Amino acid sequence: MVTNIFVTNIFRDRKDAGQYLARRLTKYRNRDDVVVLALPRDGVPVAYEVAKALNAPLDIFVVSNALDVTGKTVIIVDDGMATGSTMQAAVTAVRKKKPRKIVIAVPVGEREVCNSFKQEADTDIICAMMPQPFNAVDTFTGTSPQPQTSRCSSS
């Protein structure tokens, strides 16, 4: 009998999540038309690892004062997406700055939320893992107290 199985700690921490995500973004490595924008606060350690691996400039995305992204491919990174509201606000703000392309990159996300961004015409999305059930972002990045995990074993 299997009961109460929770997927937890997919990643050791946000650094590990960023390194994993960077491996999914290698086609953007060493390009002078790519910038990485981190959503504050929890997206910063993830985005740092992505920018480092891609050899791309990194900035923290503050809606009123971000780096010039006109004509660039902009990779917006956060530590995950549960509702997508923060990412949607960031995409809307970046789009006003006329980038060539927007790439949303998160190590974990709720499946329906990740899929909803695929409808955006100028946007690609890398949602590295979409665990089910999706509890909360912190549950998967190893940064919050973990609930007891029931494990099933075969006899």
Side-chain angles (χ1 to χ4, degrees):
M1 177 189 304
V2 177
T3 58
N4 296 331
I5 295 180
F6 295 99
V7 178
T8 58
N9 284 348
I10 292 174
F11 304 105
R12 287 186 307 275
D13 52 25
R14 286 182 175 87
K15 177 179 179 179
D16 183 44
Q19 290 169 345
Y20 181 87
L21 188 56
R23 291 192 293 273
R24 303 285 304 271
L25 293 162
T26 57
K27 71 180 182 180
Y28 299 104
R29 184 165 169 49
N30 292 323
R31 289 178 36 181
D32 61 2
D33 67 331
V34 171
V35 296
V36 177
L37 296 180
L39 296 184
R41 178 180 101 184
D42 295 333
V44 174
V46 178
Y48 172 79
E49 295 300 325
V50 170
K52 185 169 72 170
L54 300 182
N55 195 29
L58 169 67
D59 202 353
I60 297 173
F61 184 69
V62 180
V63 175
S64 62
N65 184 22
L67 134 98
D68 180 20
V69 298
T70 305
K72 303 263 186 187
T73 296
V74 179
I75 302 173
I76 305 173
V77 179
D78 203 359
D79 65 332
M81 284 195 304
T83 67
S85 59
T86 302
M87 186 60 74
Q88 186 60 58
V91 167
T92 300
V94 168
R95 190 172 282 131
K96 289 177 184 177
K97 295 176 177 284
K98 302 191 184 324
R100 184 172 59 81
K101 182 178 188 175
I102 297 172
V103 179
I104 296 168
V106 294
V108 295
E110 199 283 323
R111 184 177 307 278
E112 288 180 27
V113 172
C114 290
N115 288 336
S116 72
F117 281 95
K118 291 181 180 178
Q119 310 309 315
E120 308 272 342
D122 64 344
T123 306
D124 284 344
I125 181 159
I126 304 294
C127 213
M129 294 192 180
M130 295 177 277
Q132 295 292 325
F134 191 90
N135 302 317
V137 171
D138 286 349
T139 304
F140 305 108
T141 58
T143 57
S144 66
Q146 300 303 312
Q148 281 289 27
T149 302
S150 299
R151 300 187 191 274
C152 56
S153 59
S154 55
S155 331

